[in-house]
Amino acid sequence: GHLRSGSVASGTGAQMDKREFAAGRAWLQKTQIQMANLLGLSPQAVRSFEQGCRSIPPYAERQLLFLLARRRAGNRKRRSCWTVIKCPPPIRARCPAWEFRTGDLCWFVNGTLCRGKAQLNWAAKMKVCRACTMFINTTGLGRTRAAKRRVGRTAAGRQIR
């Protein structure tokens, strides 16, 4: 089925689950074959992800998240993470999201200084990102529905409203 605009089912962990993957594909309005082509995978791999027979590898998750973010953004002006989370200048100056001006895709870039430090790997990064307002707003995904209502955190760890 087709999801409402701006909404994609959300999983419970740091890694994308079969429901999120299938919901993302549906939201993009792609068949399994079209999704396989976009992700550089076989249609059998896409089917096995959606059936839960295989874990979704980080590279496929990352590509799907990127496609969701670009589709959701459309032509509207994109806000940068350093503005949304009020990142302090000393942290911002060291952050790859700032260096490469990818503030609307900070979750896509490894080594970003979310909450003041870089995460060790993609799974650790996604755990932080899925609770972040920036990620939720750009991809339509979040750790839980409650995370969408939760107050965001700045890079320095202060609460913002």
Side-chain angles (χ1 to χ4, degrees):
H2 190 287
L3 299 172
R4 286 179 286 127
S5 178
S7 147
V8 176
S10 58
T12 57
Q15 185 176 7
M16 182 174 277
D17 65 21
K18 67 181 184 179
R19 290 181 314 263
E20 272 185 334
F21 187 90
R25 181 179 63 78
W27 198 82
L28 292 171
Q29 299 179 331
K30 299 296 178 191
T31 66
Q32 287 181 335
I33 292 171
Q34 290 170 325
M35 193 86 249
N37 289 335
L38 283 170
L39 300 177
L41 299 167
S42 69
Q44 293 81 8
V46 170
R47 272 193 294 282
S48 67
F49 297 157
E50 292 183 359
Q51 293 170 351
C53 300
R54 286 175 56 187
S55 296
I56 298 149
Y59 69 87
E61 175 184 5
R62 193 175 193 174
Q63 183 71 13
L64 178 55
L65 292 172
F66 176 79
L67 295 170
L68 288 168
R70 294 297 87 181
R71 174 67 57 87
R72 286 176 54 82
N75 291 327
R76 61 189 162 152
K77 184 168 172 26
R78 296 173 187 106
R79 295 180 64 200
S80 297
C81 59
W82 50 84
T83 302
V84 172
I85 64 170
K86 301 180 184 345
C87 183
I91 292 174
R92 184 181 344 167
R94 297 186 340 259
C95 186
W98 173 261
E99 178 184 355
F100 297 106
R101 300 299 188 261
T102 56
D104 64 319
L105 295 172
C106 51
W107 51 267
F108 190 75
V109 178
N110 285 329
T112 55
L113 301 178
C114 304
R115 296 189 182 164
K117 66 178 184 173
Q119 304 305 309
L120 296 176
N121 57 44
W122 179 254
K125 180 173 179 54
M126 283 293 95
K127 189 171 184 178
V128 171
C129 292
R130 285 175 177 270
C132 178
T133 302
M134 197 69 206
F135 178 84
I136 293 165
N137 290 343
T138 58
T139 65
L141 297 174
R143 189 180 311 174
T144 63
R145 291 190 187 277
K148 292 182 182 181
R149 295 186 298 270
R150 190 169 53 224
V151 173
R153 289 196 175 274
T154 67
R158 297 182 309 271
Q159 294 282 332
I160 60 171
R161 298 197 185 275

